[in-house]
Amino acid sequence: MSQNTNVSTAVSSDARIAQHARQLSKQLQLLGERLFPPSSQKSMKTFTSGEAAQLLGVSDGYLRQLSIDGKGPSPDVSATGRRSYALEQINELRHHIAAVKPKDAVSHLPWRRRGEKLQTIAVANFKGGSAKTTTTIYLAQYLALQGYRVLAVDLDPQASLSSMLGVQPEFDLQEGDTLYGAIRYDEKRRPLKDIVRKTYFAGLDLVPGNLELMEFEHETPTALINRQTTNQDIFFRRVGNAIAEVEADYDVVIIDCPPQLGFLTLSALCAATAVLITVHPQMLDVMSMSQFLNMTGSLLDVVAEAGGATQYDWMRYLVTRYEPSDGPQTTMVGLMRSIFGSRVLTHPMVKSTAIADAGLTKQTLYEVERQQFTRGTYDRAIEALDLVNGEIESLIKQVWKRN
């Protein structure tokens, strides 16, 4: 009797858990539809003439004279005479200035030149909460603001990056609309150029993600056992081969890896020319990163034996969600610097309420109006973000041998 009672209780508990899951899922869906309706579209802010001039590396007076002379795109002029530019117009101005100042063309239009290879950066760590997605989107948007052609690849089935960039995975995507569509093993494989989507953020395109990506994790073991792949299209080459199809269209590709060390992450690491490992400076997170490095090293050795050797232009550790006043965090950062030296980026990603508050509405600080936040809070957060992303940009320029 007692055994039957236990079984009955277990079944009842399972049913209760399933019921709670359905109720929570329904309420979250209703909340999501109310805050972010399926028909809603994200849009980008405009930039004041001073902000535009700063992005372009010219004076505000120079932009004013261009506007007076009717050269370049016409800014929007308010009733008070204030000029503002859309990001698309700023990119048009980059081309115009590069044409009239050919000696300074690289500084105004930083696209890849002949002989400069595509930079593919994998943002990785198999522990959730290390700010991989936050790092990916802010880096991608920063580089787009500087004038680079950027492709963000959402390789995480949770698809947070896609949501932040205006794609609602549960509404907007059909079968094959993720990277899986370009790396699958059957005849339904599609060219990556047919999957890439433009975003509201000029200069930044997206390969979205959703749960469909898990199919690659499930199908790869079967493909390996059944020998459905040749050495050319074995699993660890497929992401790189897909990206190569659109290589000419971009300067930088940034891959948001899933928080697990599976076939998707390994494929991204093999496709990458550089690796950025995010780590929250807490003891458990650093211990988890140690395991991640051990497992990754062992698995990449196996991949190398199969012909998938990886040679990175650079590998760096980025300290995320850092609180300078937190003693234990400072100790962990010191430990990392003593072990990894200059491979730890000089500037950490400082924890900021402004970043968190913007994220609540699926926005970033690069796309919201400054007046929505306390000036000091916003400025400190932007400064920290620009220092981190500028340091990564300098690594890209070093690979291209630019001063």
Side-chain angles (χ1 to χ4, degrees), residues 247-258:
E247 177 178 353
D249 299 328
Y250 300 100
D251 307 305
V252 183
V253 175
I254 308 174
I255 306 175
D256 184 19
C257 295

Side-chain angles (χ1 to χ4, degrees), residues 113-117 400:
R113 268 51 178 180
R114 186 185 300 275
E116 297 176 340
K117 68 178 180 179
W400 290 338

Side-chain angles (χ1 to χ4, degrees), residues 67-233:
S67 177
I68 294 173
D69 295 342
K71 297 179 180 178
S74 299
D76 182 52
V77 182
S78 70
T80 59
R82 292 190 175 184
R83 292 168 291 115
S84 61
Y85 296 84
L87 185 53
E88 291 87 349
Q89 291 178 311
I90 293 175
N91 287 334
E92 287 182 50
L93 285 167
R94 285 192 168 100
H95 286 274
H96 175 79
I97 296 171
V100 298
K101 297 183 177 181
K103 291 184 178 179
D104 300 325
V106 173
S107 62
H108 294 296
L109 188 64
W111 290 8
R112 283 191 298 138
R113 268 51 178 180
R114 186 185 300 275
E116 297 176 340
K117 68 178 180 179
L118 176 73
Q119 289 292 283
T120 302
I121 304 172
V123 183
N125 197 330
F126 71 5
K127 188 177 189 305
S130 66
K132 288 190 305 296
T133 299
T134 301
T135 298
T136 299
I137 190 168
Y138 274 100
L139 176 59
Q141 290 187 343
Y142 171 87
L143 292 173
L145 286 172
Q146 307 312 309
Y148 296 92
R149 300 168 299 170
V150 184
L151 176 65
V153 179
D154 192 350
L155 213 55
D156 188 345
Q158 297 179 65
S160 298
L161 177 65
S162 300
S163 296
M164 288 290 288
L165 286 174
V167 174
Q168 301 181 89
E170 65 274 29
F171 298 113
D172 299 337
L173 302 182
Q174 304 297 323
E175 180 183 359
D177 281 349
T178 70
L179 185 66
Y180 171 71
I183 62 176
R184 60 192 301 166
Y185 295 97
D186 58 23
E187 69 283 353
K188 293 183 179 180
R189 194 189 76 81
R190 303 170 59 195
L192 185 60
K193 63 180 177 62
D194 293 344
I195 299 172
V196 171
R197 294 179 175 226
K198 297 290 182 183
T199 72
Y200 60 92
F201 205 104
L204 174 56
D205 293 350
L206 172 70
V207 176
N210 66 9
L211 287 173
E212 176 187 68
L213 289 164
M214 290 303 299
E215 296 297 324
F216 188 72
E217 301 285 358
H218 300 152
E219 293 174 359
T220 295
T222 302
L224 291 172
I225 292 172
N226 296 338
R227 301 184 182 279
Q228 293 177 1
T229 61
T230 64
N231 186 51
Q232 182 61 28
D233 62 2

Side-chain angles (χ1 to χ4, degrees), residues 266-281:
L266 280 175
S267 298
L269 291 173
C270 289
T273 61
V275 176
L276 184 62
I277 299 174
T278 56
V279 56
H280 181 44

Side-chain angles (χ1 to χ4, degrees), residues 326-389:
D326 188 312
Q329 286 195 20
T330 301
T331 299
M332 285 294 101
V333 173
L335 174 65
M336 291 175 58
R337 294 195 188 282
S338 69
I339 297 172
F340 304 124
S342 61
R343 290 189 183 275
V344 180
L345 288 178
T346 302
H347 300 86
M349 185 74 77
V350 178
K351 185 176 181 179
S352 170
T353 56
I355 294 176
D357 290 347
L360 291 175
T361 54
K362 296 185 180 180
Q363 292 180 296
T364 73
L365 295 185
Y366 286 141
E367 60 189 70
V368 298
E369 299 291 346
R370 184 182 186 184
Q371 58 266 26
Q372 294 184 24
F373 298 89
T374 304
R375 180 179 294 270
T377 302
Y378 177 90
D379 289 347
R380 284 192 297 272
I382 284 291
E383 181 183 15
L385 289 165
D386 287 350
L387 287 172
V388 169
N389 294 324

